[in-house]
Amino acid sequence: MADQAKKLPWDPWKNYDISQRELKAIRERAKMRDAMKAEWQKKVTDPYRGSHDGGHIFDPAVQRFMSMRATNFDHFKVTPKTTWFGFLYIVLPVGLLTYISTKDKEENEAKLRSGQVPYKDRLWKFMY
């Protein structure tokens, strides 16, 4: 099995279409990411975290996400795409379900009132 891994025609961990400059930038960003992860881990595992800063770690990314969620409707723009989306996924299903259930209820009620369905064969006989 290990011999088959060595005989791959290409190495998935090597990028041949990236210049040396881009590769260096990718490695620098990876180092920065690792440093940020280490700093975050240090803050999270600090046993004295509750004694200062109120026990809260401020994360700007989480703050941006929560702000975006709170002000989402303020930035909403009505476009033909959002209009059709709302119609197809909200208005149309509710309208169809309402129409089908009302029609079914009316047909069932008409059969029950005309006597086509005997009382002993009625479903939901205690509801009508």
Side-chain angles (χ1 to χ4, degrees), residues 14-116:
K14 290 185 181 177
N15 295 322
Y16 296 106
D17 60 341
I18 297 177
S19 68
Q20 290 296 325
R21 197 167 131 204
E22 287 177 291
L23 195 58
K24 184 179 176 185
I26 289 172
R27 288 184 179 139
E28 286 177 10
R29 285 194 295 265
K31 284 182 187 177
M32 289 172 28
R33 216 172 25 249
D34 290 340
M36 288 173 56
K37 284 180 189 176
E39 180 185 353
W40 177 258
Q41 201 61 26
K42 183 179 173 185
K43 286 180 180 179
V44 168
T45 58
D46 181 12
Y48 302 107
R49 179 177 62 185
S51 61
H52 53 81
D53 297 336
H56 175 72
I57 300 173
F58 180 75
D59 187 4
V62 173
Q63 181 61 42
R64 281 193 305 272
F65 177 74
M66 297 304 288
S67 298
M68 181 269 308
R69 287 185 69 188
T71 61
N72 191 17
F73 190 71
D74 298 340
H75 302 289
F76 178 75
K77 293 178 182 169
V78 178
T79 63
K81 183 179 177 181
T82 59
T83 303
W84 279 108
F85 182 82
F87 179 75
L88 289 175
Y89 291 103
I90 297 170
V91 175
L92 191 64
V94 170
L96 283 174
L97 286 173
T98 303
Y99 173 75
I100 290 169
S101 63
T102 304
K103 185 139 176 89
D104 185 46
K105 173 85 172 165
E106 287 174 357
E107 289 174 0
N108 192 21
E109 188 72 23
K111 286 180 185 177
L112 293 176
R113 288 185 183 269
S114 67
Q116 292 177 2

